Amino acid sequence: MHRITLGDFELTAVSDGTYKLDGGAFFGVVPKSLWQKKLAADENNLVTSGLNSVVVRTGDHTVLIETGIGNKLPEKMIKIYGQPAQLLNNLAAAGIAPEDIDTVINTHLHFDHCGWNTVLRRSTVVPTFPKAKYFVQAGEWEYTHGPMDRDGISYIAANYEPLIKSGQMTLLCADQEIVPGVSVQVFPGHTRHMQAVVVESGGKTACYISDLIPTTAHLDLVWGMGFDLFPLETIESKKRYYAKAIPKRWLTMFTHDPAVPWAYVEKDEKSRMVAVGA
Ligand SMILES: [Zn+2]
């Protein structure tokens, strides 16, 4: 478990485990001869991807950013990805009960980012965090109603539709503060309406940049994932992010890095982006 203070806030990185992804899909047009130096592939060309959530304790609020894969995957997807389902165990190990969470923010609704929003109990899908308000961009949810010719397999309605129906999930229409010190900013590219979560306290800032920069191996502007729906927008969004995050020394939180939940991004003497430990 990784824990750090940011001003008056406490950040705890909590993992849902790891899963395997095709290395080619993970690095898009980047040649394997380059990416395999950063992330080793197994005999089936699979690489290990992390599932990092972050709990922000502000003093007044306990905010959970992202909810991993969860435990409701269909059998066919378990065969492809496995189903580690470690988030609740790791939250408990960090001393955090589901009832403690009052705010859940999903950056987008792909299955590996909102899986523990809900849980199956006695053949009914119920909210995993009963006291929480959930937040996602309205455009992301509207997109799930199709057509999703490219990434339809990545959307599992049980992760969000019950929360929409019950009114527990709020649909946002733009950048917005969610609770004091925690806000969302839309960064298109991976999906049209993916939002990052910006945490600010005591003059310090951290940002959960989600699938815009999923791991420390994806820092380079053109090292985008093959999964990105709008790869050119990914590059523009990364530029916009770095223009703020590097000079202002934001702590970047990585959704899929199996080893590094957060780091500072800096430019080295050759103007390459590098991750520097927090
Ligand atoms: Zn995604």
Side-chain angles (χ1 to χ4, degrees):
M1 185 188 64
H2 298 255
R3 190 166 266 170
I4 196 170
T5 56
L6 183 92
D8 299 327
F9 294 179
E10 176 197 76
L11 308 183
T12 308
V14 192
S15 170
D16 193 30
T18 62
Y19 67 126
K20 297 284 189 179
L21 285 174
D22 181 78
F26 207 31
F27 288 101
V29 298
V30 179
K32 185 177 182 184
S33 56
L34 296 180
W35 62 251
Q36 70 180 357
K37 291 180 192 159
K38 294 182 188 276
L39 205 53
D42 70 10
E43 66 279 9
N44 294 317
N45 207 44
L46 301 177
V47 295
T48 299
S49 170
L51 291 162
N52 302 324
S53 294
V54 176
V55 176
V56 183
R57 279 180 164 138
T58 72
D60 294 322
H61 292 279
T62 302
V63 179
L64 175 62
I65 306 171
E66 222 78 316
T67 64
I69 285 180
N71 71 349
K72 306 183 302 299
L73 276 193
E75 208 51 47
K76 187 176 141 196
M77 288 178 79
I78 293 176
K79 283 202 182 107
I80 302 171
Y81 300 110
Q83 183 172 245
Q86 290 302 309
L87 185 66
L88 298 190
N89 296 342
N90 285 329
L91 277 172
I96 301 160
E99 294 74 23
D100 297 339
I101 306 287
D102 59 55
T103 306
V104 174
I105 303 174
N106 297 134
T107 64
H108 61 302
L109 295 174
H110 281 159
F111 75 95
D112 52 336
H113 292 260
C114 61
W116 280 112
N117 278 5
T118 59
V119 62
L120 197 60
R121 290 222 178 96
R122 290 181 220 98
S123 72
T124 312
V125 174
V126 298
T128 310
F129 307 99
K131 296 182 178 166
K133 287 183 182 165
Y134 292 68
F135 296 87
V136 77
Q137 287 292 317
E140 174 74 14
W141 176 71
E142 283 155 11
Y143 173 78
T144 70
H145 298 121
M148 298 176 286
D149 296 332
R150 167 82 180 264
D151 61 342
I153 189 181
S154 288
Y155 289 96
I156 297 173
N159 289 336
Y160 44 87
E161 289 299 346
L163 300 168
I164 299 280
K165 286 201 185 79
S166 70
Q168 208 173 335
M169 180 173 256
T170 300
L171 298 171
L172 307 169
C173 290
D175 299 357
Q176 192 174 314
E177 186 170 71
I178 304 297
V179 301
V182 180
S183 58
V184 295
Q185 291 182 14
V186 177
F187 282 93
H190 179 64
T191 68
R192 180 69 79 200
H193 302 277
M194 196 207 80
Q195 59 185 1
V197 184
V198 180
V199 182
E200 296 173 280
S201 177
K204 307 236 185 274
T205 303
C207 183
Y208 190 100
I209 196 63
S210 191
D211 277 341
L212 187 66
I213 310 169
T215 77
T216 53
H218 291 86
L219 296 180
D220 191 287
L221 282 180
V222 297
W223 283 45
M225 292 195 288
F227 304 111
D228 290 355
L229 297 181
F230 308 98
L232 297 180
E233 291 183 31
T234 294
I235 294 172
E236 289 309 311
S237 285
K238 273 174 146 173
K239 281 186 195 165
R240 181 159 64 86
Y241 176 68
Y242 286 140
K244 280 193 242 175
I246 294 177
K248 294 190 174 167
R249 216 172 149 68
W250 288 11
L251 182 70
T252 299
M253 302 185 262
F254 299 100
T255 187
H256 290 314
D257 199 299
V260 182
W262 45 53
Y264 295 100
V265 180
E266 296 179 1
K267 268 189 189 169
D268 71 6
E269 65 284 352
K270 288 180 180 163
S271 278
R272 288 176 308 206
M273 307 294 179
V274 289
V276 178

